[in-house]
Amino acid sequence: MQQLIIDQLTLIVQSILKESDISNSDYKIRLQENKDKEHGDYASNIAMILAKDLSLNSKDLADQISNEFPLDNQILKVEVAGPGFINFFVSKETHAQVLNAIDLKKEKYGHSKKKLGKVLIEYVSSNPTGPLHVGHGRGAVFGSVLAKLLRAAGHEVDEEYYVNDYGRQMSILTVSVWLRYLQNSNKEIIMSDLGYQGDYIKLIAEGLVKENKEKYLLSSEEHESIMSLLKVQKDESDIDSLISFMQKTLADGFLEIRSFALDNMLNLIKEDLDKFGVNHNLWFFESSLYREDKGNKSKANEAISKLTSNNFVYEEDGALWFKSSEFKDDKDRVLQRSNGEYTYFSSDVAYHLDKYNRAYDRIINIWGSDHHGYLPRVRAAMEASGKDTEKLEVVFIQFANLIRNGEKISMSTRSGEFISLKELLEEVTSDAARFFYINRKADQHLEFDLELAKEESKDNPLYYIQYAHARICSVFNKVKYDFTTDHKELNLSLLSTEKEIEIQKHLANFPALIEKSAKSNDPHLICYYLKDLASLFHSYYNSEKFIIEDINLMNSRMFLLTGIKQVIFNGLEILGVDSPEEM
């Protein structure tokens, strides 16, 4: 109904502007719901917005618009109030039309038939050097829910995980697994304090022993060499010495163990994500950016060549620099060091150019809040490469703290002291974890209250929503409601109480909410909407009887409950959360 009013207002306003020879007026027609029903159901301030452009008194303009607005059996009356508010009075039967729409579309109610183009969402992308911990959970849920939301709004969506399998951290992982492998046959071998310490390293090493037996063991002379290296493990250069020793000693064996460790880590990550309801359909490996196929340049070299040909690269002290400062970045950035090594930034440039080359209409990155500094330099590189930076969107996710007994949990993957995502899901359900992670705007800090997530009360927002769904199912079971009833014979005008009308208005807002949330990358709005709907329902449930002698009123109320149940289901489906029928 709101959209119908807006569409009609648009036609009237366009006609008035055309008659006044005004074509460049900047305006947007909005409706707000009136809390005081004496002033009608909806109100618009468009007359006050346009009065200055038209050199008219706002009340006079409002009178003109209201007089031209057609009345029918849906819009019963249009009145002007105050300095130029236009109030719209809608028939009670009109509010009930949403129930027929919900019944017709069912699980697709709220979904758009528009074709809005292709979207790439890259999220999680945690280094494959340790299991996912609770700090990764928020970004994982955000990306997963946003993907569902964008699909509902009419987009084709790809979900991508960027695997950092090229840099130094992978080498540290490789040597850590090797040391644990060596310990299996020689207890004198100690783990470097600079390596990865978690039990997951031991599990990978055990798998390496099982598959390769003694293939990567050391000779007596090599054993003496590594023991001397292990005695000195104080700074980062010492772990680098261990890595160099491993590469020299094992040759291809280093790459074999590296590949084995990477495959095992990715399997762990995929298993955790799957249990969490997160499923990427694309996995992009950083190492592919540096692969030269059939004599062609690597993607990293192509990216640098592109910037160089546009005169945005210069050489200084043997290194290649990008003129990032010419694009509002605070300083220029190194692409390739003097020793020939590529920087992380060069990977970022090459990866994002690859995203653009895949012809997406929107490119969305879900980054942790500690990555704010990366955005100006990446945007700068895309602009310098001639790309449309409006396509690139970045959502920054604030940290989520898991608090147990009043204490925050450390999450260092190098030390191994962290609470894994797997452990979190052993304590609370996947449903609870997903909801609590998404139940706040992305740029706000989040403290995950474990006890509240497990509590069965109205203070737990997820329980409150799911209980509304289960409660409706219980009503249906008691009255043995027949869902095949010919709804055209229902007298929906009987749904005339203030609560019933308010609920129907709220149900009617669901499609617009999906569209708004998808445009602004704000999936938490779905949580807020469902909490409000659950509150409206529980209040309605506590104030009315549903098993009554008036069969016409009872069936109409059952039809209303069917609409509420369906929208709760549809909303929870977008959140990746179940809608239980019993609780």
Side-chain angles (χ1 to χ4, degrees), residues 74-142:
Q74 298 184 67
I75 309 297
L76 302 179
K77 185 168 60 172
V78 180
E79 287 185 349
V80 175
F85 287 103
I86 306 173
N87 293 324
F88 300 88
F89 295 77
V90 178
S91 69
K92 293 177 180 179
E93 291 82 359
T94 298
H95 293 304
Q97 289 179 1
V98 66
L99 302 180
N100 290 317
I102 295 170
D103 181 61
L104 178 66
K105 298 179 180 178
K106 294 186 170 56
E107 70 277 1
K108 291 299 182 182
Y109 176 71
H111 292 222
S112 174
K113 292 184 178 180
K114 297 177 182 177
K115 301 296 183 183
L116 298 181
K118 292 181 63 178
V119 180
L120 176 66
I121 305 179
E122 182 239 320
Y123 65 106
V124 185
S125 299
S126 168
N127 285 342
T129 53
L132 298 177
H133 56 62
V134 294
H136 299 125
R138 191 176 187 189
V141 175
F142 186 95

Side-chain angles (χ1 to χ4, degrees), residues 13 35 82 111 167 174 208 229 314 342 469 483 485:
V13 167
K35 293 183 179 180
H111 292 222
T174 304
L208 188 65
L229 288 172
Y314 63 94
Y342 293 95
H469 186 274
F483 291 94
T485 298

Side-chain angles (χ1 to χ4, degrees), residues 339-489:
N339 62 3
E341 290 183 356
Y342 293 95
T343 62
Y344 286 120
F345 177 58
S346 65
S347 293
D348 285 339
V349 175
Y351 177 43
H352 281 82
L353 282 176
D354 184 87
K355 289 182 178 183
Y356 272 93
N357 291 337
R358 285 183 268 165
Y360 288 100
D361 299 288
R362 291 174 67 182
I363 298 169
I364 303 175
N365 295 341
I366 312 299
W367 287 351
S369 59
D370 56 338
H371 283 66
H372 267 283
Y374 286 74
L375 182 55
R377 69 192 74 166
V378 172
R379 280 195 185 280
M382 294 305 100
E383 186 176 349
S385 301
K387 302 300 181 182
D388 178 8
T389 57
E390 293 298 315
K391 284 187 177 184
L392 179 60
E393 305 169 35
V394 178
V395 180
F396 291 102
I397 305 291
Q398 279 291 349
F399 294 108
N401 296 316
L402 182 66
I403 298 177
R404 180 179 288 117
N405 299 324
E407 296 183 1
K408 295 179 183 179
I409 308 299
S410 173
M411 301 178 201
S412 168
T413 52
R414 184 84 74 92
S415 69
E417 297 175 1
F418 59 85
I419 299 297
S420 70
L421 193 58
K422 180 180 179 181
E423 290 172 309
L424 174 65
L425 297 182
E426 290 171 353
E427 185 160 351
V428 301
T429 65
S430 176
D431 280 356
R434 286 182 68 93
F435 189 91
F436 273 71
Y437 271 129
I438 203 70
N439 186 32
R440 184 164 293 195
K441 190 171 175 61
D443 60 4
Q444 295 179 346
H445 281 281
L446 175 68
E447 292 192 347
F448 196 116
D449 188 333
L450 284 171
E451 298 309 313
L452 182 59
K454 294 182 285 186
E455 191 173 299
E456 295 183 358
S457 77
K458 66 179 182 180
D459 294 328
N460 179 342
L462 175 59
Y463 179 85
Y464 197 55
I465 295 166
Q466 289 181 319
Y467 183 48
H469 186 274
R471 212 172 193 183
I472 294 172
C473 293
S474 176
V475 172
F476 291 162
N477 289 334
K478 287 179 181 178
V479 301
K480 297 184 172 17
Y481 180 59
D482 182 7
F483 291 94
T484 63
T485 298
D486 185 357
H487 303 313
K488 294 179 181 177
E489 297 179 1

Side-chain angles (χ1 to χ4, degrees), residues 167-312:
R168 179 171 174 271
Q169 296 305 314
M170 280 303 303
S171 295
I172 296 175
L173 175 70
T174 304
V175 79
S176 300
V177 170
W178 186 48
L179 291 175
R180 291 301 188 193
Y181 164 89
L182 294 175
Q183 283 181 341
N184 186 70
S185 58
N186 190 331
K187 302 304 180 186
E188 290 184 1
I189 300 292
I190 60 173
M191 171 56 74
S192 167
D193 291 338
L194 303 171
Y196 288 101
Q197 309 293 322
D199 287 341
Y200 62 94
I201 299 295
K202 295 178 182 178
L203 292 175
I204 295 173
E206 288 172 6
L208 188 65
V209 171
K210 186 176 181 179
E211 282 198 19
N212 297 277
K213 309 301 181 188
E214 301 178 353
K215 182 177 180 179
Y216 304 116
L217 294 181
L218 298 172
S219 66
S220 298
E221 183 178 340
E222 291 166 342
H223 174 74
E224 294 300 321
S225 298
I226 197 172
M227 289 301 292
S228 64
L229 288 172
L230 288 171
K231 290 177 182 177
V232 184
Q233 290 291 297
K234 296 181 179 179
D235 55 44
E236 295 297 324
S237 63
D238 296 323
I239 192 76
D240 288 339
S241 297
L242 263 178
I243 292 169
S244 296
F245 172 78
M246 182 182 179
Q247 291 172 326
K248 180 179 179 182
T249 303
L250 298 184
D252 289 344
F254 175 85
L255 296 178
E256 292 167 1
I257 295 176
R258 183 179 178 279
S259 178
F260 184 88
L262 175 63
D263 289 345
N264 276 265
M265 283 310 313
L266 288 181
N267 285 337
L268 286 174
I269 289 171
K270 289 178 181 179
E271 287 175 9
D272 287 346
L273 290 174
D274 183 63
K275 291 175 183 176
F276 205 29
V278 177
N279 297 285
H280 296 82
N281 65 309
L282 299 176
W283 293 73
F284 190 100
F285 291 82
E286 182 185 8
S287 57
S288 69
L289 297 172
Y290 298 94
R291 191 178 301 128
E292 297 181 0
D293 294 323
K294 298 178 182 179
N296 295 324
K297 285 183 178 180
S298 68
K299 291 179 179 178
N301 274 328
E302 287 180 353
I304 293 175
S305 296
K306 179 71 172 177
L307 293 173
T308 302
S309 64
N310 291 346
N311 296 316
F312 291 116

